[in-house]
Amino acid sequence: MGRSKKSGVKKGSSKSAGDLYRQIVTAVNAYNAMCEIDASKLVLTTVAMQARADEDIRHHTRVWMMDMASIALGRMGFREAKFKALDKALLEVVTEYDKEFADDYKDDKEMWYSREQLERELKEYTGAVYKPEDVRY
């Protein structure tokens, strides 16, 4: 059966992206207001906002763990001179392994060779307390 009128969206009748976003925000806020616990609430964020939040969490975690490691080393007798030496050695190790992993990635996306190099060196220094990559991560 043929239609006598065209079916479609009338010019100017569709909502703008801003209008749709505000409608979604209103619905999310209404839902969140009804939630009894924070864990049930919805999070409304853009991809860029989430990426920034994730990076902030990763940065905070790295700084926190370095603070804890620094305190532990301090309790083991490290002082300014040793921390300067540690900083220098850490920079060398990071630079070396960054290059090694980048070079390895060109030929092997799983970076088996460079990962094995890192594991071998880590095991050499940690001895019996060494845990394999799959256990550590």
Side-chain angles (χ1 to χ4, degrees), residues 90-103 121:
L90 187 57
L91 180 60
E92 290 170 0
V93 168
V94 169
T95 302
E96 177 185 319
Y97 274 105
D98 278 352
K99 183 179 179 341
E100 179 137 350
F101 274 83
D103 290 345
E121 185 170 5

Side-chain angles (χ1 to χ4, degrees), residues 45-59:
T45 183
T46 66
V47 171
M49 290 166 59
Q50 187 62 52
R52 278 193 305 276
D54 291 347
E55 182 54 38
D56 287 347
I57 290 168
R58 285 191 296 273
H59 173 74

Side-chain angles (χ1 to χ4, degrees), residues 102-129:
D103 290 345
D104 195 15
Y105 186 77
K106 292 173 188 172
D107 299 321
D108 174 17
K109 301 300 182 214
E110 293 186 38
M111 301 170 290
W112 288 105
Y113 176 77
S114 51
R115 286 170 53 201
E116 181 57 34
Q117 293 297 104
L118 183 132
E119 292 302 311
R120 188 176 303 127
E121 185 170 5
L122 191 58
K123 188 174 185 177
E124 176 185 336
Y125 301 136
T126 58
V129 297

Side-chain angles (χ1 to χ4, degrees), residues 29-40:
N29 287 339
Y31 173 85
N32 285 345
M34 293 184 293
C35 290
E36 294 184 21
I37 58 172
D38 285 341
S40 297

